[in-house]
Amino acid sequence: MKKFEVRELVLCALFVALITVGTFIRIPIGTDVYTLQFLFTLLAGLLLGERMGAAAVGGYVLMGLAGIPIFASGGGPGYVMQPTFGYLLGFILQAWFCGRYARRFRPVSFRRLLAVNFGGMVIVYLIGISWFYVFSNYVVDAPITLWAAVFYCGILQAGPDFLLCMAAAGLGLRCFHAGIWLAVPAVEKSKAYIVKEV
């Protein structure tokens, strides 16, 4: 079993903190309010890789379930009954996906990282909307049609979330060139990639 390095643990803890802070940074856009939680879960995957990225987001979720009020509406084990809890589960899988597939493309470019982030966004939406629909209709007795769930939880949110995908791709690319990414083979770190795609 591979031991965690100090750098890995520090960056993992840093992203748990960033995701927590991002949850409470509220940006009003029209009648909706958005946070930076999604941005930092994307970056956790890109910078930390599949294993540590998922661990960082999973650690954040476990802390919230343990009772620390770090979720948007509090915390505690009862949070699994919230219709929006599926998004938190989606963030874990999204971090794993982004961490894994961001390291499959060479050379690393903005467009490729954006495509990976968009894939992660789709994962979050599939899990989040499915959980929201099932729990709203069969657990908390707040009936909603599938189309309404897709429209309000997906279509209306897609624009701002795609902008966060773009921001994460740009920041992730800068961090890659600065040598901050984890789980990148030494031979890859030693190369100075020329980004041909903007």
Side-chain angles (χ1 to χ4, degrees):
M1 182 176 179
K2 181 183 176 182
K3 295 181 179 179
F4 294 116
E5 298 178 358
V6 173
R7 182 170 181 246
E8 290 180 327
L9 293 175
V10 169
L11 286 175
C12 187
L14 173 63
F15 268 97
V16 172
L18 287 173
I19 296 167
T20 301
V21 171
T23 302
F24 296 102
I25 298 177
R26 303 180 185 276
I27 305 171
I29 300 178
T31 57
D32 293 320
V33 177
Y34 297 88
T35 72
L36 296 184
Q37 183 184 49
F38 182 48
L39 172 68
F40 290 123
T41 58
L42 286 169
L43 286 172
L46 295 182
L47 273 62
L48 304 183
E50 60 195 78
R51 183 174 64 105
M52 293 304 295
V57 181
Y60 163 78
V61 173
L62 287 176
M63 287 172 58
L65 292 177
I68 303 174
I70 56 177
F71 297 150
S73 300
Y79 210 88
V80 297
M81 305 303 290
Q82 292 276 355
T84 56
F85 182 72
Y87 290 98
L88 294 172
L89 296 179
F91 287 150
I92 299 173
L93 184 56
Q94 164 241 291
W96 180 91
F97 175 88
C98 291
R100 181 177 181 82
Y101 289 98
R103 285 154 178 73
R104 292 270 179 114
F105 297 125
R106 291 293 179 265
V108 174
S109 71
F110 176 82
R111 289 184 182 179
R112 290 184 171 123
L113 292 185
L114 180 58
V116 168
N117 288 344
F118 181 73
M121 176 178 149
V122 171
I123 289 172
V124 171
Y125 277 32
L126 286 175
I127 298 174
I129 293 173
S130 298
W131 188 284
F132 187 90
Y133 175 77
V134 171
F135 270 70
S136 292
N137 284 284
Y138 304 109
V139 178
V140 299
D141 194 26
I144 186 173
T145 65
L146 179 59
W147 165 246
V150 171
F151 181 74
Y152 288 108
C153 301
I155 295 174
L156 290 183
Q157 312 299 321
D161 282 345
F162 186 74
L163 292 177
L164 291 179
C165 286
M166 294 178 66
L171 290 170
L173 184 61
R174 287 180 175 271
C175 290
F176 173 77
H177 287 296
I180 299 176
W181 279 27
L182 296 180
V184 178
V187 66
E188 300 288 357
K189 291 180 181 178
S190 66
K191 294 179 181 179
Y193 284 104
I194 299 175
V195 180
K196 297 179 181 179
E197 299 182 36
V198 180

